[in-house]
Amino acid sequence: MKKSFWVTLIVTVYLVAYSIMSRAGVPENLLLALFTLWPILVGWMVITVLRDTSRPVQELKENEEWGYQDKDKNTLGTF
């Protein structure tokens, strides 16, 4: 499977475990250490997902600033 899937799974399990431990009466020193580490893990997850090249992406055409792969730009309308 893709690396981004496993990284997302690991970080999600970590955060769920932290939430459970915070309600289960785990010592505050351990919770503080886990709380300090989670922004690093979330950053690792974001970088891994953004760098994932397993799905090809089309380059934008001329005069397009950004776009959706799954929507036709004519059906989006203007805001």
Side-chain angles (χ1 to χ4, degrees):
M1 293 198 132
K2 294 184 279 186
K3 182 180 178 183
S4 61
F5 171 79
W6 290 110
V7 171
T8 305
L9 182 66
I10 290 167
V11 173
T12 302
V13 168
Y14 180 87
L15 293 176
V16 169
Y18 172 79
S19 298
I20 292 170
M21 285 190 274
S22 68
R23 300 289 182 192
V26 173
E28 289 184 14
N29 292 339
L30 177 60
L31 288 176
L32 182 61
L34 294 174
F35 182 78
T36 304
L37 184 60
W38 80 263
I40 297 167
L41 292 174
V42 171
W44 174 50
M45 178 182 67
V46 168
I47 290 169
T48 302
V49 169
L50 290 176
R51 287 186 177 178
D52 186 13
T53 58
S54 63
R55 186 172 182 180
V57 179
Q58 292 179 347
E59 291 294 324
L60 295 176
K61 297 175 185 159
E62 191 174 325
N63 296 327
E64 288 184 336
E65 294 179 16
W66 65 286
Y68 290 105
Q69 293 278 324
D70 59 343
K71 300 277 186 184
D72 180 20
K73 71 176 185 176
N74 297 324
T75 62
L76 292 175
T78 57
F79 302 109

